């Protein structure tokens, strides 16, 4: 029986070790035995204590988190496997139960490789065996993955580093890429070697024993100022003695030492004293980078990312950062600002890359609009993508040609956003939809018709489109649309009332007996929908009131309420309570989402502690108050 | 009397053994839990869209069991056919004198029936593929397929949210769904390649719809129309 699919699987496997170490025939043989598995996000592939499967796994698409559980059984992610990474190797080496959980961090397709068919290769082919041993010993991280390939043994030898961990007490990452010169070398020669090797420091050694160190700072302060000539010996400007440590230096210690001595490089020697051979160097930059949880580092990485896969990996780190922030209880205002900036930069980077991939530059100016939660700067977890595109007016005969260019661009962008974790909008509310890829005047017409014929669908659309924020491109275009919306709204009480009715469609979530209202049927039965019943009523109310006050350019719900508190001092307390509640609910949802690896939208109330329940109830009080205010102000009872 | 007459039509006596063996499998009921059902996802490449005059050139199929596709259980056969339509060669790339091993139509049907057994069949726009196979069976005086079947185009539609903002009457092509689910489209327009793409789509849909507590096999088949 011919098997063309096996050939395709072999093509994929052949790109990754250990499979790349096999011969073509062997690879095809294995591929014919593969099992293709599909997992939704947040599903267990195997869990701690479970008996070993007959397979080990390689990620074809998506990502899998490997989790250790602590004493209280709380899972902690120790590693993330993405495309091409192998995991679940334990059954290959020992007939023991799994020691870790493997859970899908994204929707994933996995290839399961049968042990019985693979084992012979692991035994007979020593390269394969070594690879698997390495993977297994280094806690299943693929030591040959693209980033690490070839580096593992030469540079980061004897350094075990759990990249994702936040702990300061882990060993610091040591660079072996240090440059060493003798004291007699001229400054000019040392400098040219430094720039050639692209390093910021040089260690001055005598018989491989460090006697001094010279860094960029020394050049700036001593050489460039003209105090010392470039022909002078480097020994004359070196700092001495050198601060040395042994390789088990921890991150925290390294940082403290640098602060204490006001230096940015530490020399690593064999026994930690300046009397033994130099083994490596640790720079402040490396420390910040190895932590990987620093927003500015992530930002740089986003801007430099050259592939969607790379951006996807950065997303993983961003999520890790978010988890850390939520755990350490950092105020939501700060968190959302940082997350917004990172999300925004990601979207910009994706669009930039897609424009480069087009055959020609954009024919006219355009703007990419993010709608919904990203538009309101409230998006913490990745949700559906909602976006739209506006381009400059063009002559009638050029219109469709121009639109097709932008549709093509938008299709590329939305596809890549999907790959990095933003689900497609199920209602196709995306810039790749010809309905939402319009010229400036078309958008104006669109808003006019939505506002003047306000049926329920139109109001729903308006609500989504009113909270837009420019993510990329020409801000003049989005401003023109904003102006137009406010002009059209002027004096249209009917529409404003329609919005008010919509804002009240989800009643305050506390029932008659102060019980939580939970979902009555469907797959989410008995779960509490925090988005629909908590976050949306506040978002809708804020939008309505701020539009009525004709305030432009504030789209964040909490910010809108803060602004309303200024505008209406007599209702200040209600508005401030709402601002607080909207932040509290979003944070609550985010925490739930991180815990369950989902959107956090549906909450099992049984699992909440009393304190959380009280907190939630307090938030709902403000929903009730704001809804009362809307009812009275807009006389909506006629409509209900 | 009339009842008897119907019965007779259902079970003509002169049916070959392989058919009887196939038909006997249907005495078993389909599992209640939709995750426990064995699905065969298949696709046919044909000389055209006319049920009377066009013929099947190739059948590709994969087995889906417990959300998994086992590659060594894939099925792919080429059929010997007199009918040749240069128009469709552009689509499926199967030329008349190709060197691949080809089976006679009846041999192919025999193999196919043995492969599918009493599993639930799945195809994209399933009515077409089912009818093509039924027509082939008819040519050899055999009854129609007895398997229950599902259509991924219709199933997909049911997973979409109900809103006036999207066109409910829209017919989704395999490419559109693959695009929506971010599935690679290499090997498109080979029967096995298309079957594999359809199978990946199907397990994604299955995961989505099986979340509903009410979803059992009975309800699943209601999705067909």
């Amino acid at each position: 029986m011919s098997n063309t699919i096996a050939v395709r699987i072999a093509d994929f496997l052949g790109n990754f070790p250990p499979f790349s170490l096999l011969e073509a025939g062997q690879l095809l043989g294995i591929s014919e035995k593969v099992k293709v598995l599909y997992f939704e996000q947040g599903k267990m592939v195997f869990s701690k204590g479970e008996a070993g499967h007959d397979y080990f796994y390689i990620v074809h698409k998506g990502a899998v988190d490997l989790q250790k559980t602590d004493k209280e059984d709380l899972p902690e992610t120790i590693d993330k496997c993405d495309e091409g990474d192998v995991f679940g190797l334990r059954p290959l080496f020992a007939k023991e139960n799994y020691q870790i959980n493997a859970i899908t961090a994204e929707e994933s397709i996995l290839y399961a490789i049968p042990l019985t068919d693979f084992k012979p290769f692991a035994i007979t082919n020593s390269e394969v065996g070594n690879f698997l041993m390495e993977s297994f010993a280094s806690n299943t991280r693929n030591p040959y993955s693209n980033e690490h390939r070839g580096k593992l043994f030469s540079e980061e030898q004897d350094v075990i580093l759990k990249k994702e961990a936040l702990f300061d007490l882990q060993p610091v990452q040591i660079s072996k890429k240090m440059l060493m010169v003798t004291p007699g070398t001229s400054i000019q020669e040392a400098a040219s070697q430094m720039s050639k090797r692209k390093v910021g420091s040089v260690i001055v050694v005598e018989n491989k024993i460090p006697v001094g160190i010279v860094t960029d700072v020394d050049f700036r302060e001593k050489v460039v100022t003209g105090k010392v000539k470039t022909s002078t010996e480097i020994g004359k400007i070196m700092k001495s003695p050198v601060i040395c440590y042994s390789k088990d230096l921890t991150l925290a210690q390294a940082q403290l030492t640098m602060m204490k001595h006001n230096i940015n490089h530490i020399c690593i020697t064999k026994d930690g004293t300046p009397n033994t051979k130099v083994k490596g160097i640790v720079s402040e930059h490396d420390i910040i980078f190895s932590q990987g949880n620093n927003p500015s580092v992530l930002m740089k990485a986003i801007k430099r990312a050259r592939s969607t896969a790379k951006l996807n990996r950065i997303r993983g780190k961003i999520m890790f950062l978010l988890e850390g922030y939520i755990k350490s209880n950092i105020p939501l205002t700060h968190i959302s600002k940082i997350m917004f900036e990172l999300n925004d930069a990601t979207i910009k980077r994706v669009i930039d890359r897609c424009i480069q991939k087009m055959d020609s530059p954009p024919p006219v100016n355009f703007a990419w609009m993010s709608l919904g939660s990203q538009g309101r700067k409230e998006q913490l977890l990745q949700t559906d993508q909602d976006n739209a595109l506006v381009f400059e007016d063009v002559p009638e005969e050029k219109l469709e040609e121009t639109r097709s260019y932008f549709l093509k661009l938008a299709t590329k962008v939305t596809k890549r956003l999907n790959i990095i974790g933003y689900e497609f909008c199920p209602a196709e509310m995306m810039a790749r939809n010809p309905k939402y890829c319009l010229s400036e005047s078309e958008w104006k017409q669109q808003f006019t018709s939505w506002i003047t014929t306000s049926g329920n669908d139109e109001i729903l659309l308006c609500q989504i489109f009113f909270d837009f924020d420019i993510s990329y491109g020409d801000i003049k275009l989005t401003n023109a649309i904003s102006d137009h919306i406010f002009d059209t709204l002027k004096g249209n009480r009917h529409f404003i009332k329609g919005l008010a009715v919509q804002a009240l469609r989800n009643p305050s979530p506390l029932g008659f007996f102060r019980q939580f209202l939970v979902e009555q049927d469907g797959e989410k039965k008995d779960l509490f929908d925090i988005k629909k019943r908590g976050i949306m009523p506040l978002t809708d109310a804020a939008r309505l009131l701020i539009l009525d006050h004709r305030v432009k350019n504030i789209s964040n719900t909490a910010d809108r309420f803060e602004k309303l508190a200024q505008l209406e001092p007599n209702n200040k307390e209600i508005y401030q309570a709402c601002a607080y509640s909207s932040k509290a609910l979003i944070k609550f949802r985010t925490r739930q989402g991180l815990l369950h690896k989902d959107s956090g939208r549906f909450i099992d109330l049984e699992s909440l502690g009393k304190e959380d329940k009280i907190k939630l109830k307090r938030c709902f009080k403000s929903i009730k108050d704001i809804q009362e205010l809307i009812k009275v102000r807009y006389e909506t009872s006629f409509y209900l | 009397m009339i009842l008897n007459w119907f019965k007779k039509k259902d079970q003509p006596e002169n049916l070959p053994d392989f058919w009887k063996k196939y038909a006997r499998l249907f005495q078993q009921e389909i599992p209640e839990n939709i995750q426990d059902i064995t699905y065969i996802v298949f696709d046919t490449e044909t000389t055209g869209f006319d049920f009377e005059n066009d013929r099947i050139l190739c059948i590709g199929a994969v087995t889906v069991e417990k959300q998994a596709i086992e590659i060594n259980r894939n099925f792919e056969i080429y059929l010997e056919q007199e009918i040749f339509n240069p128009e469709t060669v552009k689509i499926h790339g199967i030329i008349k004198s190709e060197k691949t091993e080809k089976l006679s139509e009846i041999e192919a049907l025999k193999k196919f029936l043995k492969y599918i057994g009493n599993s639930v069949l799945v195809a994209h726009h399933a009515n077409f593929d089912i009818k093509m196979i039924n027509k082939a069976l008819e040519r050899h005086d055999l009854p129609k397929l007895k398997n229950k079947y599902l259509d991924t185009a219709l199933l997909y539609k049911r997973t979409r949210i109900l809103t006036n903002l999207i066109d409910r009457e829209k017919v989704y092509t395999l490419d559109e769904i693959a695009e929506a689910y971010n599935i690679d489209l290499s090997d498109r327009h080979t029967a096995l390649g298309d079957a594999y793409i359809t199978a990946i789509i199907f397990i994604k849909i299955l995961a989505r719809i099986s979340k509903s507590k009410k979803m059992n096999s009975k309800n699943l088949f209601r999705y067909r129309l």
Side-chain angles (χ1 to χ4, degrees), chain A residues 33-49:
Chain A
K33 304 278 167 52
V34 159
K35 203 162 144 169
V36 183
L37 297 164
Y38 169 73
F39 289 89
E40 284 184 287
Q41 187 177 36
K43 292 272 190 281
M44 281 286 183
V45 182
F46 54 75
S47 55
K48 189 184 168 186

Side-chain angles (χ1 to χ4, degrees), chain A residues 492-518:
Chain A
N492 195 333
R493 290 316 284 172
H494 180 74
F495 180 75
I496 292 280
K497 278 190 181 181
L499 277 183
V501 173
Q502 284 290 310
L504 298 175
R505 84 207 120 135
N506 291 311
S508 155
L510 286 179
F512 188 70
F513 295 105
R514 292 184 61 78
Q515 298 286 337
F516 285 99
L517 290 176
V518 292

Side-chain angles (χ1 to χ4, degrees), chain A residues 280-551:
Chain A
I281 195 157
V282 174
S283 73
E284 195 175 17
H285 175 260
D286 289 341
I287 289 180
I288 297 172
F289 202 82
S290 72
Q291 283 175 319
N293 54 357
N294 178 312
S296 61
V297 172
L298 290 173
M299 190 58 112
K300 256 189 219 159
I302 291 170
K303 290 194 171 156
R304 283 184 196 154
R306 287 176 170 278
S307 72
T308 311
K310 178 81 188 158
L311 278 172
N312 192 20
R313 234 168 283 143
I314 299 169
R315 297 287 326 160
K317 289 194 174 164
I318 294 176
M319 285 301 123
F320 196 72
L321 176 71
L322 173 64
E323 210 169 331
Y325 283 163
I326 296 273
K327 268 189 196 153
S328 21
N329 233 346
I330 299 199
L332 189 85
T333 329
H334 299 315
I335 304 181
S336 16
K337 280 186 185 136
I338 293 169
M339 294 312 285
F340 169 78
E341 293 299 343
L342 292 171
N343 285 337
D344 193 55
T346 308
I347 295 171
K348 283 191 167 67
R349 182 71 194 146
V350 168
I351 298 174
D352 257 334
R353 293 191 57 243
C354 290
I355 292 178
Q356 283 167 21
K357 283 180 196 292
M358 297 289 287
D359 301 330
S360 59
V364 291
N365 281 344
F366 74 100
W368 184 274
M369 298 183 275
S370 290
L371 316 170
S373 58
Q374 173 68 10
R376 287 192 300 272
K377 304 188 170 63
E378 288 168 358
Q379 191 177 65
L380 296 183
L381 299 165
Q382 283 172 312
T383 50
D384 293 348
Q385 42 174 311
D386 295 309
N387 43 50
L389 193 149
V390 51
F391 54 88
E392 258 174 358
D393 282 335
V394 289
E396 182 72 39
E397 67 272 14
K398 285 269 183 193
L399 183 62
E400 289 317 312
E401 188 191 326
T402 313
R403 193 192 324 278
S404 75
Y405 176 91
F406 286 112
L407 282 173
K408 202 172 152 199
L409 174 67
T411 308
K412 281 184 192 291
V413 174
T414 48
K415 185 170 177 189
R416 281 167 181 79
L417 288 176
N418 177 268
I419 293 171
I420 62 174
Y422 295 95
E423 288 281 315
F424 287 126
C425 170
E428 280 293 322
M429 232 165 270
M430 292 182 282
R432 68 173 186 193
N433 183 338
K435 278 198 257 178
Y436 308 121
C437 180
L438 306 176
S439 73
E440 184 186 329
S441 7
E442 284 177 320
W443 269 118
K444 287 180 178 168
Q445 270 170 27
Q446 181 67 83
F447 273 106
T448 307
S449 86
W450 280 337
I451 292 169
T452 48
T453 50
S454 44
N456 281 339
D457 286 349
E458 284 77 15
I459 288 185
L460 180 67
L461 283 166
C462 282
Q463 286 182 333
I464 296 161
F465 282 91
F466 278 160
D467 298 336
F468 67 75
D469 186 57
I470 177 166
S471 290
Y472 190 97
D474 187 352
I475 196 161
K476 275 188 226 126
L477 293 166
T478 48
N479 278 344
I481 297 176
S482 289
D483 290 342
H484 176 79
I485 292 175
F486 282 97
D487 286 345
T488 320
L489 278 178
K490 201 184 234 168
N492 195 333
R493 290 316 284 172
H494 180 74
F495 180 75
I496 292 280
K497 278 190 181 181
L499 277 183
V501 173
Q502 284 290 310
L504 298 175
R505 84 207 120 135
N506 291 311
S508 155
L510 286 179
F512 188 70
F513 295 105
R514 292 184 61 78
Q515 298 286 337
F516 285 99
L517 290 176
V518 292
E519 299 312 296
Q520 296 302 312
D521 46 27
E523 64 177 272
K524 301 295 178 191
K525 192 169 179 327
D526 297 329
L527 293 179
F528 177 71
D529 184 344
I530 193 172
K531 180 184 176 190
K532 184 169 119 193
R533 298 189 183 274
I535 297 169
M536 258 165 61
L538 285 172
T539 309
D540 291 348
R543 181 190 308 110
L544 161 72
L545 293 162
I546 212 82
L547 280 174
D548 203 13
H549 274 286
R550 313 174 54 72
V551 177

Side-chain angles (χ1 to χ4, degrees), chain B residues 115-127:
Chain B
Y115 178 71
I116 61 174
N118 65 346
S119 63
V120 171
L121 297 178
V122 181
H124 199 73
H125 300 309
N127 281 330

Side-chain angles (χ1 to χ4, degrees), chain A residues 112-363:
Chain A
I113 318 291
L115 295 179
T116 41
D117 295 290
F118 195 79
K119 221 166 187 168
F121 299 113
I123 296 164
T124 54
N125 186 330
S126 64
E127 271 185 288
V128 173
N130 285 343
F131 171 82
L132 291 169
M133 281 305 278
E134 277 298 334
S135 296
F136 183 60
S138 63
N139 236 331
T140 71
R141 153 65 65 189
N142 178 353
Y144 293 175
S145 70
N146 285 335
E147 277 164 86
H148 300 170
R149 193 168 296 163
K151 279 196 220 158
L152 186 77
F153 301 105
S154 57
E155 286 175 33
E156 288 157 56
Q157 200 176 1
D158 13 273
V159 181
I160 301 161
L161 179 82
K162 267 193 259 152
K163 278 209 308 205
E164 326 283 19
L166 274 173
F167 302 120
D168 292 338
L169 292 176
Q170 64 184 349
V172 73
Q173 184 160 12
I174 296 161
S175 168
K176 306 252 163 185
K177 220 173 124 188
M178 70 268 179
L179 175 64
M180 290 184 279
V181 295
T182 53
T185 316
S186 75
I187 290 174
Q188 193 177 15
E189 169 62 21
S192 68
Q193 282 199 40
M194 280 168 73
S195 57
K196 203 168 118 198
R197 297 270 298 269
K198 294 194 174 70
V199 291
S201 65
V202 56
I203 302 171
V204 184
V205 289
E206 274 172 349
N207 297 326
K208 293 198 176 170
I209 309 290
V211 293
I213 186 165
V214 179
T215 66
D216 281 342
V217 181
D218 300 309
F219 284 104
R220 209 157 55 224
E221 288 176 354
K222 296 171 188 160
V223 186
V224 187
T225 51
K227 282 180 197 163
V228 186
K229 283 201 195 108
T230 49
S231 55
T232 317
E233 288 178 0
I234 193 106
K236 291 279 190 297
I237 60 161
M238 70 184 187
K239 266 196 218 113
S240 187
V242 192
I243 308 294
C244 294
Y245 277 90
S246 63
K247 66 173 167 37
D248 50 5
L249 178 70
T250 63
L251 264 178
Q253 211 180 353
Q255 279 174 313
L256 288 174
T257 305
M258 286 179 182
M259 265 192 265
K260 201 169 78 184
H261 297 282
N262 199 20
I263 51 173
N264 46 24
H265 288 82
I266 294 173
C267 184
I268 303 297
T269 55
K270 202 173 173 199
D271 70 352
T273 69
N275 308 321
T276 46
K277 282 182 186 172
V278 178
K279 300 295 275 181
I281 195 157
V282 174
S283 73
E284 195 175 17
H285 175 260
D286 289 341
I287 289 180
I288 297 172
F289 202 82
S290 72
Q291 283 175 319
N293 54 357
N294 178 312
S296 61
V297 172
L298 290 173
M299 190 58 112
K300 256 189 219 159
I302 291 170
K303 290 194 171 156
R304 283 184 196 154
R306 287 176 170 278
S307 72
T308 311
K310 178 81 188 158
L311 278 172
N312 192 20
R313 234 168 283 143
I314 299 169
R315 297 287 326 160
K317 289 194 174 164
I318 294 176
M319 285 301 123
F320 196 72
L321 176 71
L322 173 64
E323 210 169 331
Y325 283 163
I326 296 273
K327 268 189 196 153
S328 21
N329 233 346
I330 299 199
L332 189 85
T333 329
H334 299 315
I335 304 181
S336 16
K337 280 186 185 136
I338 293 169
M339 294 312 285
F340 169 78
E341 293 299 343
L342 292 171
N343 285 337
D344 193 55
T346 308
I347 295 171
K348 283 191 167 67
R349 182 71 194 146
V350 168
I351 298 174
D352 257 334
R353 293 191 57 243
C354 290
I355 292 178
Q356 283 167 21
K357 283 180 196 292
M358 297 289 287
D359 301 330
S360 59

